[in-house]
Amino acid sequence: DAKTTQPTSMDCAEGRAANLPCNHSTISGNEYVYWYRQIHSQGPQYIIHGLKNNETNEMASLIITEDRKSSTLILPHATLRDTAVYYCIVRVSYSGAGSYQLTFGKGTKLSVIP
Amino acid sequence: AAGVIQSPRHLIKEKRETATLKCYPIPRHDTVYWYQQGPGQDPQFLISFYEKMQSDKGSIPDRFSAQQFSDYHSELNMSSLELGDSALYFCASSLGRDRRGEAFFGQGTRLTVV
């Protein structure tokens, strides 16, 4: 799986948008970008994933550049409960069913400040 | 909605003892993943199962073994425990037939070896 690079930490004011960048310059055409977050010692929580189009769900938006070498996770209105470590993960998707494990790298510790 | 259930939530064992961790996936999910997260570290993939067969293997010590049963629950067996095995152990499940399926994590088992 392609390696990802994320900032070690970021701060965001409560109520503002949090924009978390991720570089994945070696991503392959069959690899998806996934975002998970982990709130202190809890199980990682799925946020969103995408292949090449921008995606939006009730939690966040995912913006993937046209060359797919980087992406940005956007939390539109950050709250204190969004304080967590955010992981950007690139995962290959094969043609058949099976298990495709997530490889966690060094995520971004997002601190939402009152 | 039903989530991934792990038991026990906390476990204290002495060195050289054995431990068994259990994971009950989300109903209809046929794929289970095990992760280990040491203090201050990121989750590390151990092993996964798809349709009751081992699918992928990560950094799982030889002292550990795991299996997935006919009802799709999984157990991680850990023998000759060492102090360094103290960690959070997470289980995740996904629908393997959906190659883009996101994995959902349980709340983890905190193992302390003394």
Side-chain angles (χ1 to χ4, degrees), chain A:
Chain A
D1 291 350
K3 292 187 68 174
T4 61
T5 304
Q6 299 178 249
T8 302
S9 63
M10 291 181 64
D11 291 339
C12 178
E14 188 178 17
R16 305 298 291 268
N19 297 278
L20 292 94
C22 178
N23 285 317
H24 31 79
S25 58
T26 59
I27 193 170
S28 300
N30 64 345
E31 290 179 317
Y32 285 77
V33 180
Y34 284 76
W35 283 84
Y36 279 76
R37 72 180 182 184
Q38 186 175 29
I39 297 170
H40 182 62
S41 294
Q42 295 183 20
Q45 178 188 21
Y46 167 80
I47 301 174
I48 198 168
H49 74 280
L51 182 63
K52 51 185 175 181
N53 297 321
N54 297 338
E55 302 286 345
T56 295
N57 63 20
E58 64 279 3
M59 286 184 68
S61 295
L62 174 61
I63 309 298
I64 302 175
T65 57
E66 196 169 336
D67 62 7
R68 302 209 324 123
K69 293 183 185 300
S70 65
S71 60
T72 300
L73 177 75
I74 301 173
L75 307 179
H77 305 287
T79 71
L80 298 179
R81 288 191 298 270
D82 293 322
T83 293
V85 176
Y86 287 76
Y87 294 97
C88 168
I89 301 168
V90 171
R91 191 181 85 168
V92 68
S93 177
Y94 296 108
S95 58
S99 73
Y100 309 116
Q101 72 271 19
L102 299 160
T103 301
F104 289 83
K106 299 294 180 187
T108 297
K109 181 172 174 55
L110 175 70
S111 298
V112 180
I113 302 168

Side-chain angles (χ1 to χ4, degrees), chain A residues 32 34 36 38 41-44 46 49 87 91 93-107, chain B residues 31 33 35 37 41-45 48-50 55-56 88 90 96-97 99-107 110:
Chain A
Y32 285 77
Y34 284 76
Y36 279 76
Q38 186 175 29
S41 294
Q42 295 183 20
Y46 167 80
H49 74 280
Y87 294 97
R91 191 181 85 168
S93 177
Y94 296 108
S95 58
S99 73
Y100 309 116
Q101 72 271 19
L102 299 160
T103 301
F104 289 83
K106 299 294 180 187
Chain B
T31 305
Y33 311 79
Y35 286 81
Q37 186 173 27
Q41 298 182 1
D42 304 300
Q44 297 295 313
F45 170 70
S48 63
F49 294 85
Y50 168 63
S55 181
D56 294 297
L88 274 167
F90 292 107
R97 288 188 297 277
R99 59 184 172 152
R100 297 180 301 277
E102 57 269 28
F104 295 92
F105 285 78
Q107 288 306 299
R110 181 177 294 279

